[in-house]
Amino acid sequence: MNLQQLRYAVALAEELNFGRAALREGVRQPPFSQQIGKLEDELGVRLFERTTRQVSLTPAGEAFVAEARASLIHAALAAESARRVGRGEAGRLLIGFVGSATNLTLPRVLRRFRARYPGVQVELRELPTAQQAEELRQGLLDVGLLHAPLAGPAAEVLTTHTVARELLLAALPTDHPLAPRASLPPTALAGEPFVMFPRRHGPALHDQIIRAMGFEPRIVQEAVQMQTIVGLVAAGIGVSVVPESVARLRRGDVAFRPLAPPTRVVTLDLTWRTGDPNPLVRNFRSLFR
């Protein structure tokens, strides 16, 4: 039994005439009749009663044609589902992102992606750069928004594309003696206690910040997320240096001041497995061009 035989049976049930049903299916009548006969032989029951004047459905034929119609509908849905997934219009896309991406490009791109591909289920995970890179390598994420360059085994199998560049800003409590200044040379922070994220979670960004400051900071507290770092700065635990997008948190108890001279060293990078044929990844990447 095959889909062609199911279509032939449905066509004959609706036309009740071998000639018209064969014409509807685009075949000659003899092959059409042969397929109906083979189907009945396989099932071991008569689906149609034939006389020289008319064709009619048997009770077994009525039951079979009802299920055949449903099967053809399901087959069509299965084919369309496969085509949609193949075009990247359905399925599940797993996206990793660093916290600062939500203040920069991610919301805009997500709105466009969801509007263009409403059938795609998007799952978001906020993760540090190093964890994203490893989960991308293992296939646990499809794409990531992180801070390159990458190192280690993941760097050998991942491709990155810079989608944004940011200045670095000093973050200080609003009552800090340096807060009234319009900008700060990095050396002004040399004697301050610092709140930073652990280097293992984002080596590239961590090293970029250290190079921009020109000294080894005295780190008194570590925190993984930028929002947490800013909250600890507000609490007076220390100062920090963060990407400018973090200033969009607009906290009244934290002052963000540009470093002087301006230091543009931080990149936000779209990352995926090199050569990944997933059409969902291709469609998501295309929105950054």
Side-chain angles (χ1 to χ4, degrees):
M1 186 187 308
N2 54 49
L3 290 179
Q4 181 191 64
Q5 290 173 322
L6 297 185
R7 287 195 303 270
Y8 285 5
V10 170
L12 185 56
E14 293 175 353
E15 299 294 340
L16 295 178
N17 180 281
F18 276 87
R20 289 196 303 269
L23 182 63
R24 171 172 144 178
E25 291 300 309
V27 296
R28 293 182 299 110
Q29 183 174 333
F32 180 91
S33 299
Q34 289 170 5
Q35 288 300 317
I36 295 294
K38 287 181 180 179
L39 178 60
E40 291 178 320
D41 290 342
E42 181 179 343
L43 296 174
V45 295
R46 278 282 184 185
L47 302 177
F48 300 93
E49 294 291 354
R50 296 97 154 154
T51 69
T52 56
R53 300 176 60 181
Q54 66 178 14
V55 176
S56 60
L57 277 166
T58 65
E62 290 179 357
F64 179 84
V65 168
E67 296 297 334
R69 284 195 181 98
S71 296
L72 291 172
I73 290 171
H74 286 304
L77 290 174
E80 179 56 24
S81 178
R83 294 188 189 101
R84 292 183 66 216
V85 171
R87 294 191 297 262
E89 297 173 358
R92 184 176 65 156
L93 182 66
L94 301 173
I95 303 172
F97 65 96
V98 292
S100 58
T102 61
N103 303 315
L104 207 58
T105 60
L106 184 58
R108 172 180 54 83
V109 172
L110 277 179
R111 282 194 297 270
R112 292 175 59 195
F113 186 82
R114 292 172 68 87
R116 190 172 297 183
Y117 305 105
V120 175
Q121 177 187 354
V122 175
E123 293 190 16
L124 299 165
R125 296 185 61 200
E126 183 176 0
L127 298 169
T129 288
Q131 188 174 348
Q132 280 191 62
E134 181 58 24
E135 293 199 11
L136 282 164
R137 186 184 71 83
Q138 294 180 17
L140 302 177
L141 292 174
D142 296 313
V143 292
L145 283 165
L146 46 73
H147 298 295
L150 303 175
E156 301 174 4
V157 296
L158 300 180
T159 297
T160 61
H161 172 69
T162 297
V163 296
R165 290 178 172 83
E166 301 183 70
L167 294 171
L168 287 175
L169 304 180
L172 313 100
T174 50
D175 59 357
H176 193 283
L178 295 174
R181 298 177 62 170
S183 62
L184 295 171
T187 53
L189 302 173
E192 299 290 333
F194 266 76
V195 181
M196 289 275 290
F197 58 90
R199 185 182 183 277
R200 65 182 181 278
H201 287 306
L205 178 58
H206 192 282
D207 293 348
Q208 288 169 333
I209 290 174
I210 300 300
R211 283 197 299 270
M213 290 190 294
F215 61 88
E216 192 68 32
R218 179 168 61 92
I219 299 174
V220 298
Q221 181 64 52
E222 291 186 326
V224 175
Q225 307 299 342
M226 285 295 173
Q227 294 92 330
T228 306
I229 290 173
V230 172
L232 293 174
V233 169
I237 303 299
V239 303
S240 192
V241 173
V242 298
E244 63 180 316
S245 60
V246 177
R248 298 184 185 183
L249 296 173
R250 300 184 185 277
R251 294 188 60 128
D253 49 6
V254 176
F256 295 96
R257 298 292 180 260
L259 300 178
T263 307
R264 186 180 294 274
V265 296
V266 180
T267 64
L268 182 66
D269 302 275
L270 180 66
T271 308
W272 63 94
R273 284 181 295 282
T274 303
D276 189 344
N278 188 342
L280 295 173
V281 173
R282 181 190 63 230
N283 291 344
F284 187 74
R285 286 166 44 195
S286 71
L287 299 182
F288 287 87
R289 297 197 182 106

